[in-house]
């Protein structure tokens, strides 16, 4: 999937952050950066919470307080991003085609800045190097699938089973796009790649030469 780096404490917040909140964000960012870097360099399985803590310059207890489960460091923003995507789908015009609503909602999410791209590339590198992590990531990606399915079932008045099929396809496409983007050195235009992939998924034209 496409994990984004904006942290929950600052999303959709118009009020300026106090010193305490800024410090929390700095600590959280340091932990995420340390974890993703170590996952990519040494492998997820070989990286321990004390390793992450030492790299981030904090205690192991601090890491555990921010991230009770180590695998949560792979997609650290999903607890806020999934509800945000659901809200964006719900805000789409009534009667809009389900896949178009999902694509538009994804396009409306926060843009990919340089820090986003760096973290995403590290996360994909970690995934590529660990079969264990890929298995655990599948469960985390299931939360995205469930969130999209529930949102589109409500928005488009689709049967739950049909919405789940569509959401499963969308998540698989997004995961594949992110994997290909990272394998190519994270140089491509990721949002454009996502748009093209979703357009392909929606394209029901017959293949050339077919009857």
């Amino acid at each position: 999937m496409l994990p984004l780096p904006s942290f929950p404490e600052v999303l959709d917040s118009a009020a300026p952050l106090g010193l305490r909140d800024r410090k929390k964000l700095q600590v959280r960012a340091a932990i995420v950066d340390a974890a993703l870097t170590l996952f990519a360099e040494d492998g997820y399985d070989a990286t321990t919470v004390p390793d992450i803590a030492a790299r981030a310059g904090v205690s192991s207890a601090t890491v555990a307080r921010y991230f009770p489960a180590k695998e949560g460091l792979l997609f650290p923003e999903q607890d806020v991003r999934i509800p945000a995507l659901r809200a964006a789908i719900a805000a789409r015009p009534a009667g809009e085609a389900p896949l178009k609503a999902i694509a538009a909602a994804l396009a409306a999410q926060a843009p990919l800045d340089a820090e986003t791209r760096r973290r995403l590339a590290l996360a994909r590198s970690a995934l590529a190097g660990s079969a264990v992590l890929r298995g655990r990531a599948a469960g985390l990606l299931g939360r995205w699938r469930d969130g999209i399915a529930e949102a589109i079932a409500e928005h488009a008045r689709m049967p739950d089973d049909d919405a789940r099929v569509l959401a499963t396809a969308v998540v698989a496409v997004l995961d594949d796009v992110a994997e290909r983007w990272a394998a190519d050195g994270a140089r491509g235009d990721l949002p454009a790649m996502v748009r093209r992939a979703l357009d392909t998924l929606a394209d029901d034209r017959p293949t050339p030469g077919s009857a």
Side-chain angles (χ1 to χ4, degrees):
M1 195 58 179
L2 309 179
L4 301 178
S6 300
F7 294 120
E9 294 88 339
V10 297
L11 286 174
D12 302 322
S13 175
L17 294 175
L19 178 61
R20 181 181 177 86
D21 288 334
R22 289 199 300 272
K23 179 63 175 178
K24 286 181 178 179
L25 288 176
Q26 290 169 358
V27 171
R28 192 175 191 276
I31 293 170
V32 170
D33 284 343
L36 291 177
T37 300
L38 287 170
F39 292 166
E41 290 178 352
D42 302 333
Y44 175 83
D45 304 340
T47 300
T48 66
V49 170
D51 293 335
I52 296 168
R55 184 73 169 248
V58 300
S59 68
S60 296
T62 297
V63 174
R65 184 167 66 250
Y66 281 87
F67 297 97
K70 189 172 77 168
E71 59 264 30
L73 284 155
L74 188 66
F75 299 135
E77 302 83 30
Q78 67 175 359
D79 286 344
V80 72
R81 289 296 177 179
I82 294 173
L85 181 57
R86 292 186 60 165
I89 292 172
R92 297 303 303 166
E96 186 174 46
L99 187 56
K100 184 176 180 180
I102 295 171
L106 285 166
Q109 301 304 295
L112 289 174
D113 59 17
E115 193 64 11
T116 303
R117 294 168 65 91
R118 186 183 68 82
R119 283 198 177 103
L120 179 53
L122 285 173
R124 297 308 310 196
S125 177
L127 277 171
S130 171
V132 170
L133 190 53
R134 288 195 297 274
R136 295 186 179 184
L140 296 173
L141 292 179
R143 294 183 59 189
W144 286 91
R145 178 203 61 218
D146 292 346
I148 293 172
E150 290 167 5
I152 207 63
E154 181 176 347
H155 174 267
R157 301 184 183 277
M158 291 179 69
D160 290 346
D161 288 348
D162 292 349
R164 185 179 176 87
V165 168
L166 178 59
T168 298
V170 168
V171 169
V173 165
L174 295 175
D175 191 39
D176 176 70
V177 168
E179 181 178 358
R180 288 188 286 111
W181 172 81
D184 192 39
R187 293 187 297 267
D189 184 340
L190 185 56
M193 291 173 67
V194 168
R195 288 193 298 271
R196 287 195 298 270
L198 293 177
D199 285 346
T200 299
L201 185 62
D203 191 352
D204 60 358
R205 294 174 298 177
T207 57
S210 63

